Amino acid sequence: MMETPLPKAPQKRRVTAIIILLLLWEAGGATIKYSVLEERDSGSFVANIAKDLGLGIGELAARGAQILSKGNKQHLQLEQKSGNLLQEKKLDREELCGDTDPCILHFQVLLKNPVQFIQGELQLLDVNDHAPEFSENEILLKIPESSHPGTAFPLKLAEDLDVGSNTVQNYTISTNSHFHLFTRNHSDGRKYPELVLDKALDREEQPELRLTLTALDGGSPPRTGTSQVLIIVLDINDNAPEFAQLLYEVQVPENSPIGSLVITVFARDLDAGIYGELSYSFFQSLNQVVQAFEINAVTGEIRLIKMLDFEEIQSYRMEIEASDGGGLSGKCTVAIEVLDVNDNAPELTMSLLISDVPENTPDTVVAIFGISDPDSGDNGKMMCSIQDHLPFLLKLTVENFYTLVTEGALDREKRAEYNITITVTDMGSPRLKTQHNITVLVSDVNDNAPAFTQTSYTLRVRENNSPALHMAASLGRCSVPEGHFPGHLVDVGGTGTLSQSHQYEVCLKGGTGTSEFKFLKPVVPIFTGEGAGGDTEENSNFRNHFRFN
């Protein structure tokens, strides 16, 4: 790192330069850093870059060295033969960087053969080339003659485009017998002048005073700026306006329409006539305040002139001044809190939906979905539910993500379809909700065996019948023609046992007072799902087999 002081003699007109090698050249790259004072003439020497890069005489030219800057804004030029890095033109720190500190200009050194890029930074150091300036050449103060010693009167501050110690550091006031000046350090880093009364004023003795306010920066020597302070001594306006509250606090919903009354401030003045007539106004308020609110100078009503947005600004703070006709004023603070309004309903995003769920399969995932609400606080908190008395459960998996699963095994024969409404409700006031409807179909599995309507049948057969016995059976009416019972399938022995089984359609006949079965010709009946046990056709290849023992 190399540094030369500010020029104090012709033989010391070299520019201040600082260089730091941040990386090893063997690693393939480095950053060189220089610093120069602003406002030096074009062609001023910055550094010998060949020496700093460890290159020999003529090596920059041999390798085709070139200085590159972002956006082709050339601030530096390179002498390839000597290796000197020079200023292309005079550099103004305030023009290039404004109030940004430090002011860094980036550049690159390109070596074409072989190709190599070296990153460079040029820090532009501030010189005290700007004097403090007041926005007004004359500051008017109206001070009542009844003001007590020790009363402070804020004055307008001066601006200085320089930074650091070169900006405004202090204020002074011309010598007088009534006031001294106090420089107050504000929280934003700036310094504010206050005029403090040392000796009571007498309008009859001296109706006005003219003082000179001077702002000084921290340069060496310091630069100054001045403004005249004209003090008008007011006659017997003994009472300054006083607000009913020093601090007004109010909450305003963000959806309040333009023109809405926010709050009314009120000050009073015990004086009569013009000295008691008050005018309300904002006192040194920020742009965001005056863009969103207006105050009625007569009534003190503060109204909206712009829609508020909680997500953009959550609160406003402003100072209100009440001035009477004699030039006295009082101040209060209004703090406005913007309330978030529940103006966004929850949103549901379905990630997975299975609309066909097999029966007898517990804990089956039916749907996976996420919920969200862009509101804040309770307005953004949500709860999720489905209807009661459904065999489904909602499970929270991760934050704001849910799965819908079957609570137990479903039974298609009891219910084959479910219409489920997922309701997402936020916790705001009023509560907003979103509903999402899904339909779940229960698919069949073969879980029901065929079943008769009664567990046993009684058959009465007269003894000594032939093998080709006709047995009549009818249930109400029997429309199927009678047939012969095949003897080779029946063993009519001493036990009277039917030892074989066969498929028949049977009817019960009870018209004679006795129960008789008629075995009709063999058939292959077709049964639906409702006919025997509830399974669907593909699961119900049902055959009636009667075995009589």
Side-chain angles (χ1 to χ4, degrees), residues 139-287:
I139 301 173
L140 178 63
L141 283 182
K142 296 179 180 180
I143 301 178
E145 61 178 345
S146 58
S147 296
H148 299 290
T151 304
F153 304 93
L155 301 175
K156 299 291 179 68
L157 58 89
E159 298 287 348
D160 193 326
L161 297 178
D162 293 318
V163 295
S165 61
N166 290 330
T167 192
V168 177
Q169 299 296 317
N170 195 19
Y171 294 90
T172 62
I173 197 75
S174 57
T175 303
N176 66 95
S177 59
H178 289 279
F179 299 93
H180 76 271
L181 197 71
F182 178 74
T183 301
R184 184 177 300 278
N185 295 320
H186 202 268
S187 59
D188 60 6
R190 295 189 292 178
K191 299 181 182 299
Y192 289 77
E194 284 187 351
L195 198 61
V196 181
L197 183 63
D198 294 326
K199 177 183 176 182
L201 300 172
D202 186 343
R203 177 186 171 278
E204 287 70 31
E205 179 183 332
Q206 190 175 11
E208 69 177 44
L209 293 86
R210 186 175 292 274
L211 306 175
T212 300
L213 174 65
T214 303
L216 301 91
D217 64 21
S220 182
R223 288 177 176 262
T224 62
T226 62
S227 178
Q228 295 298 306
V229 180
L230 177 59
I231 300 172
I232 304 297
V233 182
L234 302 177
D235 186 28
I236 313 301
N237 186 16
D238 299 331
N239 297 281
E242 292 184 3
F243 282 91
Q245 299 173 220
L246 293 178
L247 174 64
Y248 290 83
E249 295 177 297
V250 63
Q251 295 177 327
V252 182
E254 64 173 331
N255 65 344
S256 299
I258 293 175
S260 296
L261 177 63
V262 176
I263 196 172
T264 300
V265 295
F266 174 74
R268 63 176 183 172
D269 192 324
L270 298 179
D271 294 322
I274 190 173
Y275 295 140
E277 295 176 3
L278 302 182
S279 175
Y280 300 93
S281 63
F282 293 118
F283 181 75
Q284 289 190 346
S285 295
L286 300 175
N287 284 337

Side-chain angles (χ1 to χ4, degrees), residues 52-363:
D52 294 336
L53 297 179
L55 301 177
I57 298 176
E59 191 171 350
L60 286 177
R63 296 187 63 180
Q66 184 179 353
I67 298 296
L68 304 177
S69 298
K70 184 177 181 181
N72 294 324
K73 294 181 179 180
Q74 290 296 110
H75 303 300
L76 300 170
Q77 59 179 343
L78 176 65
E79 291 182 342
Q80 290 187 344
K81 287 186 178 181
S82 64
N84 288 337
L85 191 63
L86 307 177
Q87 285 186 208
E88 178 73 18
K89 57 184 178 180
K90 182 181 290 188
L91 301 177
D92 187 338
R93 192 204 66 82
E94 287 75 31
E95 178 183 343
L96 294 172
C97 296
D99 58 358
T100 301
D101 190 32
C103 177
I104 304 294
L105 305 179
H106 296 275
F107 67 93
Q108 295 84 34
V109 181
L110 170 61
L111 303 177
K112 298 180 181 178
N113 185 25
V115 174
Q116 184 179 7
F117 277 95
I118 298 101
Q119 300 296 324
E121 293 181 359
L122 179 66
Q123 181 178 356
L124 204 55
L125 302 177
D126 184 49
V127 298
N128 193 22
D129 56 342
H130 292 87
E133 290 185 5
F134 288 93
S135 60
E136 300 174 0
N137 293 327
E138 184 178 89
I139 301 173
L140 178 63
L141 283 182
K142 296 179 180 180
I143 301 178
E145 61 178 345
S146 58
S147 296
H148 299 290
T151 304
F153 304 93
L155 301 175
K156 299 291 179 68
L157 58 89
E159 298 287 348
D160 193 326
L161 297 178
D162 293 318
V163 295
S165 61
N166 290 330
T167 192
V168 177
Q169 299 296 317
N170 195 19
Y171 294 90
T172 62
I173 197 75
S174 57
T175 303
N176 66 95
S177 59
H178 289 279
F179 299 93
H180 76 271
L181 197 71
F182 178 74
T183 301
R184 184 177 300 278
N185 295 320
H186 202 268
S187 59
D188 60 6
R190 295 189 292 178
K191 299 181 182 299
Y192 289 77
E194 284 187 351
L195 198 61
V196 181
L197 183 63
D198 294 326
K199 177 183 176 182
L201 300 172
D202 186 343
R203 177 186 171 278
E204 287 70 31
E205 179 183 332
Q206 190 175 11
E208 69 177 44
L209 293 86
R210 186 175 292 274
L211 306 175
T212 300
L213 174 65
T214 303
L216 301 91
D217 64 21
S220 182
R223 288 177 176 262
T224 62
T226 62
S227 178
Q228 295 298 306
V229 180
L230 177 59
I231 300 172
I232 304 297
V233 182
L234 302 177
D235 186 28
I236 313 301
N237 186 16
D238 299 331
N239 297 281
E242 292 184 3
F243 282 91
Q245 299 173 220
L246 293 178
L247 174 64
Y248 290 83
E249 295 177 297
V250 63
Q251 295 177 327
V252 182
E254 64 173 331
N255 65 344
S256 299
I258 293 175
S260 296
L261 177 63
V262 176
I263 196 172
T264 300
V265 295
F266 174 74
R268 63 176 183 172
D269 192 324
L270 298 179
D271 294 322
I274 190 173
Y275 295 140
E277 295 176 3
L278 302 182
S279 175
Y280 300 93
S281 63
F282 293 118
F283 181 75
Q284 289 190 346
S285 295
L286 300 175
N287 284 337
Q288 64 182 21
V289 171
V290 298
Q291 290 173 0
F293 304 91
E294 65 178 4
I295 185 168
N296 187 302
V298 177
T299 65
E301 293 179 344
I302 299 176
R303 294 184 179 272
L304 281 178
I305 58 174
K306 172 187 174 183
M307 290 295 293
L308 302 179
D309 186 354
F310 174 83
E311 282 68 32
E312 181 181 348
I313 300 177
Q314 288 80 44
S315 63
Y316 296 84
R317 195 175 185 90
M318 63 192 77
E319 286 187 299
I320 306 299
E321 181 179 45
S323 302
D324 65 18
L328 295 180
S329 63
K331 297 178 182 65
C332 73
T333 300
V334 177
I336 299 174
E337 178 185 0
V338 182
L339 298 180
D340 183 35
V341 174
N342 193 21
D343 53 355
N344 293 283
E347 299 174 358
L348 185 149
T349 303
M350 189 66 65
S351 300
L352 174 67
L353 176 60
I354 300 174
S355 58
D356 196 350
V357 179
E359 65 176 337
N360 291 340
T361 308
D363 297 325

Side-chain angles (χ1 to χ4, degrees), residues 13 77 164 177 204 225 287 321 330 440 453 459 506 530 541:
R13 290 179 60 91
Q77 59 179 343
S177 59
E204 287 70 31
N287 284 337
E321 181 179 45
V440 177
T453 58
L459 175 65
V506 297
E530 299 296 333
N541 296 322

